[in-house]
Amino acid sequence: MRILGLALILISCTILGFVYDSQEKKRVLQLEELLFGFNLLKSEIEYKLTPLIEALKLTSAKTGNGIDKLFYLYAYKLEQRNETDEKKMWKDTLIQSSKLLKLTEEDLKIIEPFGDISFLDRETQKININWLLEELKRKKDDANEIYQKRSKVYCSMGILLGLSIVIVLI
């Protein structure tokens, strides 16, 4: 019975390390998807001259990993016009979507200024989206670099923590 308990502790700590590793990987994937989504949005606005609400819906249809819900929810809020302040609608969208996303507060602060663009002309929207794309690319590269460095550490730490607890209990 004691051996079973020790084995369960070891297995649960190992799984915990792998789960933490997968959460970090999801963050990197969502940052990549966010970058892809804003690139799509930029091309819809810049080249196809699509209105923002339609561009958001099209972007939502072409993205995934939870980012699609972010774009769709903002398009829905803009369409409903329950509020007059687009910036507040975007902040509300970020708050609601943050429960589904693995993005950090710092990641969300980068995309928060996007809510200011809905009332701007197309040229200013393009400039703001270009700035946002540069920031997201930098953030994604940083997150990916950190993940590459720490990926094996997370898994190993789970195993080592489990072994440490097992040794202490023996």
Side-chain angles (χ1 to χ4, degrees):
M1 189 67 149
R2 183 175 178 175
I3 293 174
L4 179 65
L6 295 174
L8 287 174
I9 290 172
L10 180 62
I11 290 170
S12 62
C13 288
T14 302
I15 290 173
L16 193 65
F18 281 97
V19 166
Y20 191 75
D21 178 57
S22 73
Q23 297 297 326
E24 289 296 312
K25 181 65 175 171
K26 283 181 185 176
R27 177 177 172 249
V28 172
L29 291 174
Q30 286 179 344
L31 284 170
E32 288 173 358
E33 198 69 26
L34 204 55
L35 187 61
F36 174 69
F38 278 112
N39 269 317
L40 282 173
L41 192 61
K42 176 187 169 200
S43 65
E44 286 291 332
I45 292 171
E46 191 171 337
Y47 301 115
K48 294 182 180 178
L49 304 176
T50 309
L52 183 61
I53 293 173
E54 289 178 42
L56 285 165
K57 286 181 180 179
L58 290 168
T59 302
S60 171
K62 295 179 181 178
T63 55
N65 283 333
I67 301 302
D68 54 338
K69 291 172 182 51
L70 175 74
F71 288 118
Y72 182 78
L73 186 58
Y74 188 49
Y76 178 77
K77 285 182 184 255
L78 286 175
E79 215 171 37
Q80 296 301 313
R81 287 283 176 196
N82 292 338
E83 297 224 13
T84 55
D85 186 15
E86 288 88 2
K87 188 174 184 175
K88 184 173 180 348
M89 283 189 271
W90 177 244
K91 277 189 176 184
D92 290 344
T93 301
L94 286 177
I95 290 168
Q96 288 175 347
S97 299
S98 67
K99 297 169 187 162
L100 302 170
L101 303 175
K102 302 299 179 203
L103 301 176
T104 64
E105 285 291 321
E106 191 177 311
D107 299 336
L108 294 173
K109 285 190 188 286
I110 290 173
I111 60 174
E112 191 174 307
F114 174 73
D116 296 336
I117 76 161
S118 57
F119 62 90
L120 302 173
D121 62 6
R122 289 190 199 285
E123 199 58 41
T124 311
Q125 285 177 350
K126 289 189 294 189
I127 291 168
N128 283 340
I129 289 176
N130 284 333
W131 174 83
L132 181 63
L133 288 172
E134 289 174 18
E135 289 296 311
L136 277 174
K137 180 159 178 26
R138 181 187 57 77
K139 191 68 170 165
K140 179 197 67 100
D141 291 341
D142 290 348
N144 196 27
E145 183 180 318
I146 289 170
Y147 174 74
Q148 294 298 328
K149 288 180 181 177
R150 297 183 182 168
S151 171
K152 293 178 183 173
V153 172
Y154 297 142
C155 298
S156 300
M157 287 301 290
I159 295 168
L160 290 175
L161 179 66
L163 284 173
S164 299
I165 293 171
V166 167
I167 289 171
V168 168
L169 291 176
I170 292 180

